[in-house]
Amino acid sequence: MKTSPRAGMTGEERITVDETNRIVFADARMPAVLATPWLVAHLEYAARNAIAPCLEEHERSVGTFIQVDHLAPAPEGTSVVCRARVIHVDGPVVTFQVEARDDLELLARGIHRRRVIDADRFARRVARKRERLGG
């Protein structure tokens, strides 16, 4: 790492709820809202953004844990801001407090952990696994 992440560092990801990130089972009874898997993905992106300036060119961060309470719906067309704040650093492991909000309320909150890795080493590991799987 160029610099070690520090408690208090923040990252953000903004999205608008649309056909690419809403639930797929919307119908006449169930309104189209932000799907939980997409919410989680954007919370992870916010955390990744928080520590990206600390990483060397050959490094990336990967998610290793997430616990999120999805508290409220975000209807199609809503703007959502996902934020992550570093709360603990233990070497290459960084823990974040994450939350998502729209203009009216808190949509989600939780804890997320990422590990800083060497991307080249990781790619070699994936290639070895792919070979073992026959592909």
Side-chain angles (χ1 to χ4, degrees):
M1 284 185 272
K2 291 188 259 185
T3 60
S4 181
R6 300 172 320 283
M9 294 179 78
T10 61
E12 192 173 280
E13 184 79 8
R14 293 175 177 269
I15 59 170
T16 300
V17 181
D18 62 22
E19 65 278 351
T20 66
N21 55 27
R22 67 183 184 207
I23 60 172
V24 296
F25 54 90
D27 60 22
R29 296 189 75 136
M30 186 65 186
V33 294
L34 179 61
T36 302
W38 283 110
L39 172 64
V40 168
H42 288 283
L43 289 168
E44 285 204 43
Y45 300 157
R48 187 180 65 193
N49 293 342
I51 62 171
C54 299
L55 304 183
E56 299 283 350
E57 179 62 31
H58 66 280
E59 294 176 318
R60 300 294 185 274
S61 69
V62 294
T64 60
F65 174 84
I66 192 156
Q67 182 176 4
V68 174
D69 290 318
H70 193 165
L71 304 167
E76 190 167 12
T78 302
S79 294
V80 176
V81 179
C82 297
R83 292 189 177 96
R85 182 174 56 85
V86 174
I87 58 172
H88 184 73
V89 179
D90 184 10
V93 179
V94 184
T95 304
F96 303 83
Q97 179 180 11
V98 294
E99 70 174 36
R101 293 182 172 276
D102 62 18
D103 289 339
L104 297 179
E105 64 186 331
L106 181 68
L107 303 174
R109 66 173 166 233
I111 299 293
H112 176 46
R113 197 164 30 247
R114 300 186 73 75
R115 175 179 285 273
V116 176
I117 63 163
D118 181 297
D120 298 328
R121 182 173 177 237
F122 186 76
R124 288 189 299 271
R125 180 178 175 191
V126 171
R128 284 191 305 271
K129 187 169 187 175
R130 187 175 288 129
E131 286 176 17
R132 289 178 57 209
L133 292 169

